[in-house]
Amino acid sequence: MISAITEMYRPERAGLSTQFGMFGRIPALWQYSIVTEFPAHVEDRYRRLAEQRRWTPEVRAAFRASVGWYRALDEDPGPRCYFEYVDEEGLSDKGSRWLWEAVIVDGDVVAIKQIEVPSSGPSRRYWWQHLEDDTGMLTDQALETDQPGITPITRSAFYALWDSVHS
């Protein structure tokens, strides 16, 4: 399935070129800014986060570029794939679950939306409008879908949970 998606999805369709940076994968030409502004609630969230963490202007710019990159991936009409990992062994939080909506970028499976379902406590969701908070963040590493415990799921299974969780 992944190889078929890899062949179909081309990052250049969204004008994207990537490199690794302080926030994982960011646009190689982030200084040209993919998106110049975000909705008011997103601007407010990230302004507060930057103030709370006392980010320098350079860190703010890199973070905004990363948010813009994830937004461009999310808004691109290219194919999606969906995965789930259940922590059966207690490596992190026995019984917890992580679900992802992902796209293929340069051969990597890149999560653009993520749901965390801890064994106790409220579930959380991460995407370009809520990239991170004090509890967690959208993974900034490519998903290794051949790892034990990661299984493909359907779009409807992902969105049934996504729509029920509020971040």
Side-chain angles (χ1 to χ4, degrees), residues 114-116 123-127 130 162-163 165-167:
Q114 174 178 310
I115 308 167
E116 294 180 8
S123 298
R124 298 174 301 275
R125 65 184 195 173
Y126 298 99
W127 61 316
H130 189 116
W162 179 265
D163 292 339
V165 175
H166 299 284
S167 50

Side-chain angles (χ1 to χ4, degrees), residues 19 26-34 57-58 60-63 65-66:
Q19 69 182 23
I26 60 171
L29 301 174
W30 63 267
Q31 66 270 23
Y32 295 107
S33 186
I34 293 172
E58 294 80 16
R60 286 180 188 217
F63 187 84
S66 188

Side-chain angles (χ1 to χ4, degrees), residues 2-54:
I2 298 301
S3 61
I5 294 172
T6 302
E7 291 304 313
M8 293 169 55
Y9 184 79
R10 298 280 181 240
E12 58 272 12
R13 284 180 36 212
L16 302 175
S17 173
T18 60
Q19 69 182 23
F20 286 98
M22 65 180 10
F23 293 101
R25 253 182 211 289
I26 60 171
L29 301 174
W30 63 267
Q31 66 270 23
Y32 295 107
S33 186
I34 293 172
V35 176
T36 58
E37 60 184 58
F38 303 116
H41 71 282
V42 175
E43 291 284 0
D44 187 51
R45 172 186 303 279
Y46 292 138
R47 179 191 50 76
R48 285 184 281 119
L49 190 62
E51 289 171 0
Q52 174 191 15
R53 295 182 179 173
R54 297 186 176 121

